[in-house]
Amino acid sequence: MSRGKLRSVKARIQSTSALMKITRAMEMVARARVRKLEEGFRKAKTFASSVEVLKDRIDFSSCDHPFVIGSGKPVLVVVSSDMGLCGSFNAEIIRETERRLKDFEILITVGSKATAHFSSNKKLAKSYQRIYETPAFNVAAALMEDLLKISGNVHIIYGKFVNRLVQRPTCVQLTPIAGGKNIERYEYEPFSEELAANFANFYVATKIFSLLYETKVSEMYARQNAMRNATENAREMIRTLTLEYNKARQASITQELIEIVTGAEALKEE
């Protein structure tokens, strides 16, 4: 191996080492962020579970709210991340969206990755970018208001958190709302129709809030896993390149020694 080739391999080792430092740092950042998000996600799940229980105690029978009767064209909301470097997380969500999109007339995207992918799709009605870096209920409420103007028949695809190693794209039906499983006799104030309509808005906003939080947690774990894998791959590549460099260096030294000895022998003969 020539000296130029040796310098090339050494440069690759140095660049891979620098890249490994970046991926390790990004893994640590994702780990720190996901710890904070997990606490908020636990609270959001508890909150959503309580609202789900309350939903079964509401009488929707006389309510003609769009979210209750499911009026309008079917809408598919897809929630992706705003940033990449999280493995196949966004690709799987987009693939699941493409598989289901034929059953819907309107598409709404949340997140830069889904927005960029579906920007030229004729079904795209609205897109949201960089709105849920840290999920907040007011963001979910704003999205709910926009959905209410478009349709009352809504499905949403999000990143379901299975465990720290598995995050799965999942489609859930948001509306129409089916409740009233455990109706008891209450006196409502205001009247039950108005209460049901107000609760329908609150219920959809709560569900969106919980799913945004879950998608964000899934994204962070996906990024943490991707950066860990990238760090391990870089470390293995450095090991391989170092071995190649050392072998080539030894061969180069051996060749130079042979040339020196051969030249010395030739001088003696002369």
Side-chain angles (χ1 to χ4, degrees), residues 4 152 165:
L165 297 177

Side-chain angles (χ1 to χ4, degrees), residues 220-263:
M220 286 300 154
Y221 270 116
R223 182 169 292 111
Q224 179 181 320
N225 295 335
M227 291 301 100
R228 184 190 305 115
N229 293 336
T231 301
E232 292 174 356
N233 290 340
R235 185 178 291 112
E236 179 62 24
M237 181 175 288
I238 290 171
R239 189 191 68 80
T240 302
L241 288 173
T242 302
L243 185 62
E244 179 184 347
Y245 177 82
N246 290 337
K247 285 182 178 180
R249 187 165 175 272
Q250 284 297 117
S252 177
I253 293 171
T254 302
Q255 181 64 31
E256 288 179 2
L257 288 173
I258 290 172
E259 290 174 358
I260 292 171
V261 171
T262 303

Side-chain angles (χ1 to χ4, degrees), residues 9 18 20 54 59 107 115 137 171 203 241:
V9 174
M20 187 175 70
L54 184 59
D59 184 5
L107 174 66
T115 299
F137 192 84
C171 183
Y203 173 78
L241 288 173

Side-chain angles (χ1 to χ4, degrees), residues 19-35:
L19 180 63
M20 187 175 70
K21 291 179 182 178
I22 295 172
T23 56
R24 188 187 295 122
M26 292 186 68
E27 178 192 348
M28 294 174 66
V29 170
R31 185 181 302 161
R33 286 203 59 198
V34 81
R35 287 174 183 169

Side-chain angles (χ1 to χ4, degrees), residues 149-203:
K149 297 173 185 175
I150 297 173
S151 175
N153 188 353
V154 182
H155 287 65
I156 184 166
I157 293 178
Y158 71 104
K160 181 178 178 61
F161 176 70
V162 180
N163 55 50
R164 295 185 177 188
L165 297 177
V166 180
Q167 300 80 38
R168 185 176 299 127
T170 304
C171 183
V172 296
Q173 182 177 338
L174 228 59
T175 61
I177 301 171
K181 296 179 181 178
N182 299 312
I183 299 176
E184 299 178 16
R185 292 294 177 181
Y186 293 101
E187 289 187 5
Y188 292 101
E189 180 63 36
F191 295 116
S192 58
E193 293 82 1
E194 185 179 349
L195 174 65
N198 291 334
F199 182 81
N201 291 342
F202 178 69
Y203 173 78

Side-chain angles (χ1 to χ4, degrees), residues 86-99:
C86 45
S88 61
F89 178 75
N90 289 303
E92 290 176 357
I93 288 177
I94 290 171
R95 193 180 303 118
E96 180 69 11
T97 304
E98 289 178 334
R99 188 176 71 84

